[in-house]
Amino acid sequence: MIMTAESMKEAIVDRLETTLGIPFDQATERDIYVALSTLVKEQVSKNWTRTTQTYKKQQERQVYYFSMEFLLGRLIENNLLNLGLLDVCNEALQELDFVPEEIYSQEHDAGLGNGGLGRLAACFLDSLASLELPGHGCGIRYKYGLFRQRFVNGHQVELPDYWLKEDYAWETRRGEQAVEVRFGGTVEMNDNDGKLTFHHKDYETVLAVPYDVPIVGYQNKTVNTLRLWSAESSSDDFNFFGSDRTDYYNYLEYKRSIEQISEFLYPDDSHFEGKVLRLKQQYFLVAAGLKSILRSYKKKLGLPLSSLPEKIKIQINDTHPSLVVPELMRILLDEEGLTWEEAWEITRKTVAYTNHTTLSEALETWPTEMVRDLLPRIFMIIDEINERFCKGLWFDHPELRDQIPELAIIAYDTIRMAHLAIVGSFSVNGVAKIHTDILKKKEMKMFYSLYPQKFNNKTNGITHRRWLLHANPELSAAISEAIGDKWIEHPKNLIGLLRYVDDKSFQEKIDSVKRYNKQQFAKIIRDQTGIIVDDHSIFDVHIKRLHGYKRQLLNIFHIIYLYNTLRENPSLDITPRTFIFGAKAAPGYHFAKQVIKLIISVADMINSDPLIKNKIKVVFMENYSVSLAEKIIPAADVSEQISTASKEASGTGNMKLMMNGALTLGTLDGANIEIKDMVGKENSFIFGLSADEVLHYYNHGGYVARDIYNTDDRIRTVMDQLINGFFGSDEMEFKDIYYNILSNNDEYFVLKDFDSYEEAQELVDQTYRNRSKWMQMSITNIAHSGKFSSDRTISEYAAEIWGLRSTTV
Ligand code: 26W
């Protein structure tokens, strides 16, 4: 085991020479990275095997987190950190004359996720392992992760993210554990002495090959597994072509069509699009994952299948893996010969479902025909589940008879995946208090009345190890100096910082850490964009996917307004501000792309206007990603969480920013509410309509956007600038934004909330002038952020949904 910088140095040089065959004096940064990651993986391997063996031997329950997305980011630093080797490694690399960050950044981010939902899955894996809980991930090894974003003339351009171009250091291919997944074909039904049997014929076989990634717990011996499945054509298929050349070409085409299943991640997290390839991906994940779980269950335990729910829980990350319900039924019925009742009992006690959005345009509903063609037996089972569910309603709930079409799993030739997930699971949870309340009161009201005991809340969290300890070592050191380092294991202990809120020297310490982080990030801005920013200015940060409801538009409208004000009165006394954006738009989301273009146009204009005298700067960072977030967040003063109330299920960036001392400028939406409840209204900047008000307008009307446009000069000026050529040559460039607001009656209440947003921004400006006050607020936020560690979230899942006990390896 490596313990010192000296032995680390020796080991790196040794791996270079023996494994890679490269003498140290010729090694590039990439070579050093490869040697280092090989070494780290070796260090992990023993505990990985030991953990797997421990779980195999014992009869304890295990959890599998099924998700179409795991947004891991880089693993090298986190693995080093969790192994307790990060400091040693930094020292070793420096002594070898390398800059550690430059070595670590050789690792390509694993961008196998779109945003919140995928990053949450990654934080959960970190917490599971760190809490010594037997919980694993099950996902897809996409060849291409979320696209790389470039700006060309201010427009977003998407480039493929070929993250596997160089070997991925952390994965291990387990070819011997590959399983078959079947698509298409027909189902033959036979009556065997009154018992129906189903025989699936003429299907196409896809080989699912697992690639395992170790998930290293923080300074313990637990190493759990993230199993990512890759689609391959099985070698048996070779006998399907003969001597004919066209057969060979057909074969190649067939092979390609199979490999396509794990080719790329769908880059859309805002609009459901019923693409058959996406359905294939979902079934591929579910069928492969279940097969490998059941194989080891049967091999290891020798228990009857009726004990499955005792030993295994499957958490599904939104409805994307909800085919787990009919697939588990299929296995239990057709392969294991159980009765419907037995199979249903097992399935329902095994599966739990998390909902991550109430946006209707994101809800998954598959056309029945598509499911019938691609998954004939699965379709029959869903149909039967639906039949029995509707019959049950009819007989057991006569009061709901009129509502059956609304509650049904299949209706109007579509399958409603959320209904399937609710009916087929024992737990349904939302991801923040308000979100769960909205599910209960509105979106899933009738299901809540049917199954009140299934519904529960699990407010999201983030791993403080990545987002504080690793991303912000200076702040972490300052915290430990004040309150000791127990907070690392028990993040709730951060509350001890409350004693230092008024301590001038601690305030100065935290202030200087923030200043340092801002200087570091200012260098990154300069290197990547050429823009010089003032590190004394307020760093006002808006980072998340680009979406109408997240209201980047409200932010840029306010910036334009501020700009107009400054042009009228250049000597206006404002606190200098740097507005920082990071966001990717879904490739087909026209409005979102226009907002990007608008922000960049505004940035170009403001940043080059001498009249502004650097009082404001606007920066749009390209290719927002986990690794970039780790640089931005420690440098942030203001956290923009300005979604239209009721729309953001939880948000998790809000928690990361809070934990790093940024103050929330936000609406009462998602977890902002719980953040505000913890720190108090006086330690945050809250503005805007409440969720109830928004929902009231949606239901009863009463809001006329045009009235605001007509009566508020500030707003009319900004809006008109969109269509009068103010931002460049093409007068019509932003007309869609303009008309989108006026003809859709401002769906996201941008105009409605403008005034109160402006007021809150003014308060931010005033408050920042009093550094001591600002630092008090900032420290208060850090102190309360322990609640938002994903360790707390995962402990709640473990205790209240999974009944999962920790196991020391
Ligand atoms: C179109 C297919 C689709 C639809 C929705 C793909 C992905 C989604 C996700 C459910 C969107 C998502 O990431 N939701 C976010 O989940 C986070 C973790 O719970 C929350 O913090 C965010 O508020 C929520 O938007």
Side-chain angles (χ1 to χ4, degrees), residues 17-193:
E17 290 174 355
T18 56
T19 318
L20 307 185
I22 296 170
F24 174 70
D25 58 5
Q26 289 170 30
T28 63
E29 282 162 344
R30 176 77 204 169
D31 299 329
I32 300 285
Y33 167 75
V34 173
L36 177 63
S37 53
T38 311
L39 181 66
V40 172
K41 199 169 171 215
E42 282 169 23
Q43 301 283 307
V44 167
S45 289
K46 213 180 229 156
N47 285 337
W48 197 9
T49 313
R50 218 178 273 160
T51 304
T52 311
Q53 287 309 111
T54 308
Y55 294 163
K56 243 186 209 154
K57 262 186 260 146
Q58 58 166 28
Q59 303 259 324
E60 292 290 325
R61 184 174 288 183
Q62 296 191 57
V63 161
Y64 295 88
Y65 197 80
F66 275 47
S67 178
M68 291 286 282
E69 309 189 9
F70 287 92
L71 188 45
L72 297 175
R74 288 196 320 233
L75 289 183
I76 181 79
E77 293 117 303
N78 266 88
N79 283 345
L80 284 164
L81 179 78
N82 287 7
L83 290 170
L85 291 175
L86 188 56
D87 291 339
V88 164
C89 188
N90 287 339
E91 203 182 315
L93 290 172
Q94 274 157 357
E95 283 175 22
L96 291 172
D97 257 345
F98 285 96
V99 179
E101 168 64 22
E102 278 165 17
I103 301 299
Y104 305 144
S105 63
Q106 296 297 317
E107 181 172 330
H108 202 115
D109 269 39
L112 309 184
N114 272 286
L117 163 134
R119 183 56 232 174
L120 184 75
C123 284
F124 280 4
L125 293 183
D126 184 73
S127 285
L128 281 163
S130 296
L131 296 172
E132 303 187 316
L133 287 163
H136 312 281
C138 181
I140 295 180
R141 179 181 179 267
Y142 302 105
K143 193 162 157 194
Y144 297 91
L146 185 63
F147 64 85
R148 221 154 34 89
Q149 178 193 54
R150 290 281 302 275
F151 296 140
V152 177
N153 299 327
H155 292 281
Q156 168 175 295
V157 172
E158 301 90 25
L159 301 171
D161 167 50
Y162 191 18
W163 72 294
L164 292 170
K165 188 167 64 202
E166 275 136 347
D167 287 345
Y168 186 51
W170 307 111
E171 68 183 6
T172 303
R173 185 179 200 271
R174 306 242 187 249
E176 78 290 355
Q177 295 194 44
V179 300
E180 287 186 1
V181 178
R182 298 170 176 183
F183 291 100
T186 53
V187 178
E188 195 179 85
M189 193 160 62
N190 292 306
D191 189 337
N192 284 347
D193 297 332

Side-chain angles (χ1 to χ4, degrees), residues 116-117 268-269 271-272 318 320 356 362 431 460 549 648-651:
L117 163 134
D268 202 320
D269 66 346
H271 295 273
F272 171 71
D318 216 275
H320 317 154
H356 294 267
V431 290
N460 283 166
Y549 83 81
E648 188 70 271
S650 158

Side-chain angles (χ1 to χ4, degrees), residues 512-562:
S512 73
V513 166
K514 185 62 83 181
R515 171 71 30 77
Y516 172 79
N517 289 332
K518 286 163 77 171
Q519 285 162 352
Q520 298 303 305
F521 186 56
K523 283 188 205 145
I524 296 177
I525 295 178
R526 189 197 60 203
D527 292 348
Q528 295 192 3
T529 69
I531 301 168
I532 309 288
V533 304
D534 171 7
D535 54 51
H536 290 269
S537 66
I538 303 174
F539 277 22
D540 182 326
V541 167
H542 201 163
I543 43 173
K544 49 186 79 252
R545 282 299 284 258
L546 216 137
H547 199 295
Y549 83 81
K550 293 177 190 281
R551 295 203 294 194
Q552 282 91 354
L553 194 59
L554 176 57
N555 190 342
I556 197 67
F557 273 13
H558 170 258
I559 295 171
I560 299 171
Y561 158 71
L562 198 60

Side-chain angles (χ1 to χ4, degrees), residues 757-785:
Y757 181 59
E758 197 275 323
E759 220 173 82
Q761 282 286 25
E762 178 60 31
L763 187 59
V764 168
D765 179 298
Q766 294 299 327
T767 310
Y768 196 80
R769 293 168 194 230
N770 181 345
R771 292 303 293 154
S772 173
K773 170 92 170 75
W774 188 275
M775 292 327 297
Q776 285 174 355
M777 295 170 76
S778 175
I779 295 165
T780 307
N781 270 267
I782 302 168
H784 285 289
S785 68

